[in-house]
């Protein structure tokens, strides 16, 4: 328990190894808000998973910056000596904005745990030392290019391949990958690009023994996801639809999905992510750790979360080299067996490299009380 003295925002720009195309746009560079938080006792780091444009959700970098600077940071800086259990109440004056909140919550939890000398994974009760890695492949220009990428990632050891799909670039692409690799764990992610009128596409996808179909329909439409889940055999997984543990409980009760993608950065941070895990685990719904092309800071958070017992499916927790020629932190490496080790140092167990932080910071702002 210690007072928050300062919060520093950095807008970070990191080149990606290759553009990442989804049904809602193409990222050519990773641009995100990074939070450094100082308490009396330690420093903590958090990463906001919003992007430049509000395409994945309503949140976007410039908006998140203002929400943190003008609303979330003052709430923490004005508090006496907050503890981790106080953080929800302190930040509850801000409605929604879970990505902005996550960056602040995660930085605070990191600082608190560093001060106590406790690893985030330990604090979460996450017993696993290594997690199983999958990889998410953006929409490729051609089927041949996609097949090459799949081959490359399988050679590296990734244990599950996820293909981004959109209307018109779906069934044929999946068919090509499935016939080249009859036995791999394969899934698709639509990022809400379809409607219930596209049932024929989902029925066709049902033939390829997919592990799941992720976020097929609009994020707010739990009822039609339930309709779709009843109409197909493949498990529906929800990503964008789940922004809280309450959303997960509603989706499970409605039968909108049989699998949940947990992204701590999407649900308001590591504390709410643990609640999502707990709700799903109690209902017997498997979860896995999603990704938002995070730098090493967000990746460390994700790996600790993915080590929790309900995370029974491979995550989008890929190695640094899958994203960046040079990460913000020391790189996360995947072993040839497709697993990655969970950081066990205090807090998230890693900090940005000073040289990389200086090179990649496009602007920064220090907020004090
Ligand atoms: O971090 O490997 C990663 C990206 C995984 O596909 C991924 N994320 O909807 O699950 C998803 C997408 C959202 C990010 S698009 C920039
Ligand atoms: Mg997704």
């Amino acid at each position: 328990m210690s007072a928050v003295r300062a919060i520093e925002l950095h807008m970070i720009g990191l080149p990606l190894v290759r553009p990442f195309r989804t049904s809602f746009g193409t990222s050519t560079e990773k641009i995100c808000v990074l939070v450094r938080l100082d308490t009396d006792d330690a420093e903590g780091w958090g990463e906001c998973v919003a992007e430049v444009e509000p395409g994945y959700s309503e949140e976007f970098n410039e908006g998140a910056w203002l929400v943190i600077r003008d609303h979330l940071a003052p709430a923490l800086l004005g508090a006496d000596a907050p503890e981790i259990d106080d953080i929800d109440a302190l930040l509850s004056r801000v409605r929604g904005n879970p990505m902005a909140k996550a960056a602040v919550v995660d930085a605070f939890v990191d600082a608190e745990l560093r001060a106590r000398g406790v690893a985030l994974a330990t604090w979460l009760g996450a017993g696993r030392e290594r997690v199983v890695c999958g990889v998410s492949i953006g929409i490729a220009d051609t089927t041949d290019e996609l097949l090459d990428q799949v081959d490359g990632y399988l050679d590296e050891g990734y244990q599950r391949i996820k293909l981004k799909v959109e209307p018109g670039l779906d069934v044929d692409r999946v068919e090509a990958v499935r016939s080249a690799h009859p036995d791999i764990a394969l899934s698709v992610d639509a990022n809400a690009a379809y409607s219930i009128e596209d049932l024929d596409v989902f029925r066709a996808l049902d033939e390829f023994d997919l592990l799941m179909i992720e976020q097929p329909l609009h994020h707010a439409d739990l009822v039609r996801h339930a309709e779709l889940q009843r109409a197909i055999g493949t498990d529906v997984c929800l990503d964008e639809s789940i922004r809280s543990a309450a959303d997960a409980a509603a989706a499970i009760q409605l039968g909108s999905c049989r699998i949940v993608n947990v992204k701590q950065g999407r649900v308001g941070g590591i504390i709410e992510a643990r609640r999502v895990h707990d709700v799903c685990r109690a209902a017997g719904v498997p979860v896995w750790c999603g990704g938002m092309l995070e730098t090493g800071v967000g990746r460390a958070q994700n790996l600790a979360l993915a080590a929790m017992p309900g995370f029974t499916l491979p995550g989008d927790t890929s190695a640094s080299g899958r994203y960046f020629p040079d990460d913000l932190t020391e790189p996360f490496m995947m072993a040839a067996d497709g697993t990655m080790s969970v950081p066990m140092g205090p807090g998230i167990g890693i900090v940005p490299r000073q040289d990389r932080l200086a090179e990649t910071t496009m602007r920064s702002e220090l907020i004090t009380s």
Side-chain angles (χ1 to χ4, degrees), residues 162 164 189 191 214 239-240 261 263:
K162 164 170 132 181
K164 292 287 186 181
D189 184 0
N191 288 111
E214 182 177 340
D239 173 358
E240 285 94 322
N261 167 333
K263 292 177 180 167

